[in-house]
Amino acid sequence: MIQITNMYKRYKMGDNVINALNDVSLHIKRHEFVAIIGPSGSGKSTLMNMLGCLDTPTEGTYILDGDEVSRLKDDRLAEIRNKKIGFIFQGFNLLQKLTAIENVELPLIYQGVGTKERYRRCSEALENVGLGDRINHRPNELSGGQQQRVAIARALASQPPILLADEPTGNLDSKSGVEIMRIMKELHAGGNTIVLITHDNNVAMQAKRVVRIQDGQIIEDREVE
Ligand code: ADP
Ligand code: ADP
């Protein structure tokens, strides 16, 4: 599903070069649940940008679901990103004026999915995250944990092959964080492929495999019991 091989990302800062990713190779199979963990400045966001087709590497290859994406131009990259990746962010990124289901429907409107099919898929996605009875609530009428569940439903509704979650519990109290991780585990059990980026060891340990990054390099890659 994900095959990153000998990837480098360098940033030029005046005369200095920062090796944000320094020879990273990472293979992730379909139906895996992987946490990428590392301290601040270790290269997590840079790797997330690569995985999510938000940026391209300086060197190395990235094959995503059969497509070589490391040398693509922005417009092609965006096309693949929209088709293959469901993003879940720390900040939820919901539109406040829209109800839960309208937020979930938005990407499908852009994809040209018809009204009936859209409603079916989005109400089902909201059911799947336990918000079947909240579909007409607006974000400010929902708790933080519920807002993140709306964001997860939005990612699910497009049925992407990969869910990419960037610090999904970062803005939540610990109880809501546990709830979100429970949903992640359910989604994994239901067949989803999940890659989660975090600095929090307790969050990472909920995944099935933990990849530890430090100074732009993978220093540990192991299964969780
Ligand atoms: P993390 O997400 O783990 O905090 P980042 O991927 O953001 O780490 O950063 C890795 C390294 O690359 C850091 O040294 C950071 O300062 C540097 N870096 C990240 N983005 C840029 C950028 N756009 N320009 C210059 N340096 C950057
Ligand atoms: P949780 O226990 O999941 O953190 P809260 O205690 O924040 O949830 O909220 C309990 C219930 O009250 C939730 O089901 C939510 O729908 C509702 N609720 C929370 N905040 C608001 C609000 N600002 N307006 C209306 N309903 C709200």
Side-chain angles (χ1 to χ4, degrees):
M1 178 64 62
I2 285 174
Q3 264 181 289
I4 285 180
T5 309
N6 303 124
M7 182 180 277
Y8 293 78
K9 181 68 178 182
R10 300 189 191 95
Y11 296 110
K12 279 211 181 71
M13 299 285 284
D15 288 342
N16 287 335
V17 176
I18 295 166
N19 285 298
L21 295 178
N22 194 354
D23 199 10
V24 167
S25 295
L26 178 63
H27 295 192
I28 297 175
K29 294 201 273 294
R30 203 175 289 273
H31 305 318
E32 278 202 84
F33 182 8
V34 181
I36 295 170
I37 184 166
S40 175
S42 57
K44 295 187 301 299
S45 305
T46 304
L47 183 55
M48 158 94 189
N49 289 344
M50 300 300 146
L51 286 167
C53 298
L54 295 160
D55 198 359
T56 50
T58 312
E59 261 183 65
T61 56
Y62 178 17
I63 298 170
L64 169 59
D65 197 21
D67 287 317
E68 159 66 278
V69 297
S70 24
R71 301 285 167 272
L72 292 181
K73 297 272 179 276
D74 286 351
D75 50 344
R76 257 308 266 147
L77 203 60
E79 206 177 292
I80 294 214
R81 175 167 70 233
N82 292 333
K83 204 157 50 180
K84 306 225 164 158
I85 316 264
F87 287 97
I88 299 160
F89 300 103
Q90 177 168 2
F92 320 142
N93 295 12
L94 300 177
L95 292 178
Q96 297 298 323
K97 284 191 176 163
L98 301 184
T99 63
I101 190 153
E102 288 166 349
N103 267 288
V104 176
E105 283 184 291
L106 208 52
L108 299 191
I109 292 175
Y110 290 126
Q111 288 168 30
V113 178
T115 316
K116 262 196 182 153
E117 170 69 5
R118 213 164 62 215
Y119 184 83
R120 189 187 66 71
R121 270 158 68 172
C122 296
S123 49
E124 187 182 304
L126 283 162
E127 291 275 346
N128 285 343
V129 297
L131 287 180
D133 57 349
R134 294 284 191 282
I135 69 172
N136 294 317
H137 284 53
R138 290 200 164 69
N140 71 357
E141 298 165 339
L142 297 168
S143 71
Q146 290 171 331
Q147 291 182 54
Q148 186 60 297
R149 285 193 265 159
V150 173
I152 294 171
R154 180 182 54 194
L156 286 172
S158 306
Q159 301 166 333
I162 293 166
L163 288 177
L164 194 51
D166 189 10
E167 301 279 6
T169 62
N171 270 350
L172 300 174
D173 60 71
S174 59
K175 180 168 151 271
S176 306
V178 168
E179 174 67 16
I180 291 303
M181 290 313 296
R182 189 181 61 72
I183 287 169
M184 292 288 187
K185 286 193 249 185
E186 281 175 13
L187 294 174
H188 171 245
N192 284 283
T193 306
I194 304 179
V195 180
L196 180 156
I197 315 255
T198 184
H199 67 276
D200 184 336
N201 215 39
N202 292 323
V203 169
M205 295 308 283
Q206 311 291 310
K208 294 283 184 197
R209 173 179 165 198
V210 174
V211 173
R212 197 171 294 273
I213 177 170
Q214 192 179 302
D215 298 331
Q217 295 190 304
I218 292 175
I219 56 162
E220 189 186 2
D221 185 346
R222 66 181 179 91
E223 305 290 318
V224 179
E225 348 243 295

mmCIF file of all heavy atoms in Angstrom, residues 138-164:
data_model
loop_
_atom_site.group_PDB
_atom_site.id
_atom_site.type_symbol
_atom_site.label_atom_id
_atom_site.label_comp_id
_atom_site.label_asym_id
_atom_site.label_seq_id
_atom_site.Cartn_x
_atom_site.Cartn_y
_atom_site.Cartn_z
ATOM 1 N N ARG A 138 -24.572 21.339 14.720
ATOM 2 C CA ARG A 138 -23.423 22.088 14.207
ATOM 3 C C ARG A 138 -22.232 21.860 15.146
ATOM 4 O O ARG A 138 -22.424 21.486 16.307
ATOM 5 C CB ARG A 138 -23.777 23.577 14.133
ATOM 6 C CG ARG A 138 -24.799 23.854 13.034
ATOM 7 C CD ARG A 138 -24.833 25.295 12.590
ATOM 8 N NE ARG A 138 -25.524 25.405 11.311
ATOM 9 C CZ ARG A 138 -26.833 25.202 11.132
ATOM 10 N NH1 ARG A 138 -27.610 24.897 12.171
ATOM 11 N NH2 ARG A 138 -27.371 25.300 9.942
ATOM 12 N N PRO A 139 -21.018 22.116 14.655
ATOM 13 C CA PRO A 139 -19.837 21.848 15.490
ATOM 14 C C PRO A 139 -19.911 22.445 16.895
ATOM 15 O O PRO A 139 -19.543 21.786 17.862
ATOM 16 C CB PRO A 139 -18.690 22.451 14.666
ATOM 17 C CG PRO A 139 -19.143 22.268 13.251
ATOM 18 C CD PRO A 139 -20.641 22.500 13.282
ATOM 19 N N ASN A 140 -20.423 23.677 17.034
ATOM 20 C CA ASN A 140 -20.447 24.283 18.381
ATOM 21 C C ASN A 140 -21.493 23.656 19.293
ATOM 22 O O ASN A 140 -21.573 24.004 20.472
ATOM 23 C CB ASN A 140 -20.594 25.809 18.307
ATOM 24 C CG ASN A 140 -21.963 26.253 17.848
ATOM 25 O OD1 ASN A 140 -22.829 25.426 17.524
ATOM 26 N ND2 ASN A 140 -22.182 27.550 17.821
ATOM 27 N N GLU A 141 -22.292 22.746 18.758
ATOM 28 C CA GLU A 141 -23.240 22.002 19.590
ATOM 29 C C GLU A 141 -22.715 20.604 19.918
ATOM 30 O O GLU A 141 -23.439 19.763 20.442
ATOM 31 C CB GLU A 141 -24.585 21.876 18.863
ATOM 32 C CG GLU A 141 -25.221 23.222 18.585
ATOM 33 C CD GLU A 141 -26.344 23.143 17.559
ATOM 34 O OE1 GLU A 141 -26.398 22.175 16.779
ATOM 35 O OE2 GLU A 141 -27.165 24.070 17.535
ATOM 36 N N LEU A 142 -21.465 20.371 19.591
ATOM 37 C CA LEU A 142 -20.853 19.058 19.823
ATOM 38 C C LEU A 142 -19.616 19.212 20.700
ATOM 39 O O LEU A 142 -18.933 20.237 20.646
ATOM 40 C CB LEU A 142 -20.459 18.421 18.485
ATOM 41 C CG LEU A 142 -21.602 18.117 17.510
ATOM 42 C CD1 LEU A 142 -21.049 17.765 16.135
ATOM 43 C CD2 LEU A 142 -22.490 17.000 18.031
ATOM 44 N N SER A 143 -19.321 18.183 21.471
ATOM 45 C CA SER A 143 -18.088 18.200 22.264
ATOM 46 C C SER A 143 -16.887 18.038 21.337
ATOM 47 O O SER A 143 -17.036 17.672 20.165
ATOM 48 C CB SER A 143 -18.117 17.059 23.285
ATOM 49 O OG SER A 143 -17.970 15.814 22.630
ATOM 50 N N GLY A 144 -15.685 18.297 21.859
ATOM 51 C CA GLY A 144 -14.472 18.155 21.049
ATOM 52 C C GLY A 144 -14.340 16.758 20.469
ATOM 53 O O GLY A 144 -14.025 16.582 19.291
ATOM 54 N N GLY A 145 -14.602 15.760 21.309
ATOM 55 C CA GLY A 145 -14.509 14.366 20.844
ATOM 56 C C GLY A 145 -15.510 14.078 19.729
ATOM 57 O O GLY A 145 -15.204 13.389 18.763
ATOM 58 N N GLN A 146 -16.707 14.658 19.887
ATOM 59 C CA GLN A 146 -17.721 14.456 18.843
ATOM 60 C C GLN A 146 -17.326 15.166 17.554
ATOM 61 O O GLN A 146 -17.549 14.644 16.456
ATOM 62 C CB GLN A 146 -19.079 14.961 19.342
ATOM 63 C CG GLN A 146 -19.664 14.072 20.440
ATOM 64 C CD GLN A 146 -20.893 14.676 21.094
ATOM 65 O OE1 GLN A 146 -21.044 15.905 21.152
ATOM 66 N NE2 GLN A 146 -21.771 13.823 21.593
ATOM 67 N N GLN A 147 -16.727 16.357 17.680
ATOM 68 C CA GLN A 147 -16.281 17.071 16.474
ATOM 69 C C GLN A 147 -15.210 16.262 15.746
ATOM 70 O O GLN A 147 -15.207 16.187 14.512
ATOM 71 C CB GLN A 147 -15.733 18.450 16.848
ATOM 72 C CG GLN A 147 -16.819 19.397 17.329
ATOM 73 C CD GLN A 147 -16.267 20.778 17.644
ATOM 74 O OE1 GLN A 147 -15.619 21.404 16.819
ATOM 75 N NE2 GLN A 147 -16.507 21.235 18.854
ATOM 76 N N GLN A 148 -14.305 15.662 16.509
ATOM 77 C CA GLN A 148 -13.280 14.850 15.850
ATOM 78 C C GLN A 148 -13.920 13.639 15.185
ATOM 79 O O GLN A 148 -13.481 13.208 14.119
ATOM 80 C CB GLN A 148 -12.184 14.428 16.844
ATOM 81 C CG GLN A 148 -10.996 13.693 16.225
ATOM 82 C CD GLN A 148 -10.255 14.520 15.179
ATOM 83 O OE1 GLN A 148 -10.832 14.885 14.138
ATOM 84 N NE2 GLN A 148 -9.003 14.825 15.432
ATOM 85 N N ARG A 149 -14.993 13.103 15.775
ATOM 86 C CA ARG A 149 -15.673 11.967 15.143
ATOM 87 C C ARG A 149 -16.339 12.385 13.830
ATOM 88 O O ARG A 149 -16.369 11.608 12.883
ATOM 89 C CB ARG A 149 -16.692 11.360 16.116
ATOM 90 C CG ARG A 149 -16.004 10.539 17.192
ATOM 91 C CD ARG A 149 -16.986 9.698 17.943
ATOM 92 N NE ARG A 149 -17.445 10.339 19.164
ATOM 93 C CZ ARG A 149 -18.581 10.023 19.800
ATOM 94 N NH1 ARG A 149 -19.357 9.094 19.307
ATOM 95 N NH2 ARG A 149 -18.905 10.639 20.907
ATOM 96 N N VAL A 150 -16.849 13.623 13.781
ATOM 97 C CA VAL A 150 -17.398 14.130 12.513
ATOM 98 C C VAL A 150 -16.281 14.176 11.464
ATOM 99 O O VAL A 150 -16.456 13.753 10.318
ATOM 100 C CB VAL A 150 -18.024 15.540 12.678
ATOM 101 C CG1 VAL A 150 -18.436 16.108 11.322
ATOM 102 C CG2 VAL A 150 -19.219 15.495 13.631
ATOM 103 N N ALA A 151 -15.103 14.656 11.898
ATOM 104 C CA ALA A 151 -13.968 14.738 10.969
ATOM 105 C C ALA A 151 -13.552 13.342 10.489
ATOM 106 O O ALA A 151 -13.186 13.164 9.323
ATOM 107 C CB ALA A 151 -12.797 15.452 11.637
ATOM 108 N N ILE A 152 -13.635 12.359 11.370
ATOM 109 C CA ILE A 152 -13.309 10.989 10.975
ATOM 110 C C ILE A 152 -14.345 10.475 9.965
ATOM 111 O O ILE A 152 -13.992 9.868 8.952
ATOM 112 C CB ILE A 152 -13.232 10.059 12.209
ATOM 113 C CG1 ILE A 152 -12.039 10.463 13.095
ATOM 114 C CG2 ILE A 152 -13.111 8.598 11.779
ATOM 115 C CD1 ILE A 152 -11.986 9.756 14.434
ATOM 116 N N ALA A 153 -15.621 10.772 10.237
ATOM 117 C CA ALA A 153 -16.676 10.364 9.303
ATOM 118 C C ALA A 153 -16.456 11.012 7.936
ATOM 119 O O ALA A 153 -16.640 10.369 6.892
ATOM 120 C CB ALA A 153 -18.050 10.751 9.857
ATOM 121 N N ARG A 154 -16.027 12.266 7.936
ATOM 122 C CA ARG A 154 -15.752 12.961 6.670
ATOM 123 C C ARG A 154 -14.636 12.248 5.904
ATOM 124 O O ARG A 154 -14.711 12.084 4.682
ATOM 125 C CB ARG A 154 -15.368 14.418 6.953
ATOM 126 C CG ARG A 154 -15.066 15.238 5.701
ATOM 127 C CD ARG A 154 -14.656 16.653 6.044
ATOM 128 N NE ARG A 154 -13.552 16.652 6.995
ATOM 129 C CZ ARG A 154 -13.146 17.718 7.677
ATOM 130 N NH1 ARG A 154 -13.755 18.877 7.514
ATOM 131 N NH2 ARG A 154 -12.138 17.629 8.520
ATOM 132 N N ALA A 155 -13.603 11.811 6.645
ATOM 133 C CA ALA A 155 -12.515 11.078 5.979
ATOM 134 C C ALA A 155 -13.000 9.732 5.448
ATOM 135 O O ALA A 155 -12.590 9.290 4.376
ATOM 136 C CB ALA A 155 -11.354 10.885 6.956
ATOM 137 N N LEU A 156 -13.901 9.085 6.193
ATOM 138 C CA LEU A 156 -14.376 7.747 5.805
ATOM 139 C C LEU A 156 -15.316 7.770 4.602
ATOM 140 O O LEU A 156 -15.346 6.817 3.823
ATOM 141 C CB LEU A 156 -15.168 7.120 6.964
ATOM 142 C CG LEU A 156 -14.390 6.615 8.164
ATOM 143 C CD1 LEU A 156 -15.368 6.213 9.262
ATOM 144 C CD2 LEU A 156 -13.517 5.435 7.754
ATOM 145 N N ALA A 157 -16.085 8.861 4.479
ATOM 146 C CA ALA A 157 -17.166 8.885 3.491
ATOM 147 C C ALA A 157 -16.652 8.736 2.064
ATOM 148 O O ALA A 157 -17.337 8.192 1.203
ATOM 149 C CB ALA A 157 -17.971 10.169 3.632
ATOM 150 N N SER A 158 -15.426 9.184 1.810
ATOM 151 C CA SER A 158 -14.848 9.051 0.463
ATOM 152 C C SER A 158 -14.294 7.640 0.237
ATOM 153 O O SER A 158 -13.815 7.350 -0.841
ATOM 154 C CB SER A 158 -13.713 10.056 0.252
ATOM 155 O OG SER A 158 -14.159 11.342 0.539
ATOM 156 N N GLN A 159 -14.340 6.804 1.255
ATOM 157 C CA GLN A 159 -13.835 5.438 1.190
ATOM 158 C C GLN A 159 -12.419 5.363 0.622
ATOM 159 O O GLN A 159 -12.154 4.638 -0.334
ATOM 160 C CB GLN A 159 -14.814 4.570 0.368
ATOM 161 C CG GLN A 159 -16.193 4.580 0.998
ATOM 162 C CD GLN A 159 -17.291 4.039 0.105
ATOM 163 O OE1 GLN A 159 -17.214 4.089 -1.114
ATOM 164 N NE2 GLN A 159 -18.331 3.527 0.727
ATOM 165 N N PRO A 160 -11.485 6.131 1.210
ATOM 166 C CA PRO A 160 -10.118 6.134 0.697
ATOM 167 C C PRO A 160 -9.386 4.871 1.159
ATOM 168 O O PRO A 160 -9.739 4.315 2.201
ATOM 169 C CB PRO A 160 -9.493 7.359 1.377
ATOM 170 C CG PRO A 160 -10.213 7.455 2.676
ATOM 171 C CD PRO A 160 -11.616 6.977 2.415
ATOM 172 N N PRO A 161 -8.384 4.432 0.396
ATOM 173 C CA PRO A 161 -7.637 3.241 0.838
ATOM 174 C C PRO A 161 -6.819 3.468 2.106
ATOM 175 O O PRO A 161 -6.519 2.508 2.798
ATOM 176 C CB PRO A 161 -6.724 2.922 -0.352
ATOM 177 C CG PRO A 161 -6.808 4.062 -1.285
ATOM 178 C CD PRO A 161 -8.009 4.873 -0.946
ATOM 179 N N ILE A 162 -6.496 4.733 2.412
ATOM 180 C CA ILE A 162 -5.671 5.000 3.600
ATOM 181 C C ILE A 162 -6.262 6.140 4.422
ATOM 182 O O ILE A 162 -6.644 7.180 3.884
ATOM 183 C CB ILE A 162 -4.235 5.391 3.191
ATOM 184 C CG1 ILE A 162 -3.542 4.194 2.555
ATOM 185 C CG2 ILE A 162 -3.420 5.876 4.392
ATOM 186 C CD1 ILE A 162 -2.287 4.563 1.843
ATOM 187 N N LEU A 163 -6.304 5.933 5.734
ATOM 188 C CA LEU A 163 -6.627 7.025 6.655
ATOM 189 C C LEU A 163 -5.330 7.510 7.271
ATOM 190 O O LEU A 163 -4.563 6.731 7.827
ATOM 191 C CB LEU A 163 -7.552 6.532 7.770
ATOM 192 C CG LEU A 163 -9.001 6.230 7.400
ATOM 193 C CD1 LEU A 163 -9.734 5.675 8.623
ATOM 194 C CD2 LEU A 163 -9.711 7.474 6.876
ATOM 195 N N LEU A 164 -5.095 8.822 7.169
ATOM 196 C CA LEU A 164 -3.874 9.424 7.689
ATOM 197 C C LEU A 164 -4.278 10.421 8.780
ATOM 198 O O LEU A 164 -4.933 11.418 8.495
ATOM 199 C CB LEU A 164 -3.155 10.116 6.537
ATOM 200 C CG LEU A 164 -1.721 10.550 6.701
ATOM 201 C CD1 LEU A 164 -0.842 9.420 7.206
ATOM 202 C CD2 LEU A 164 -1.189 11.061 5.361
#
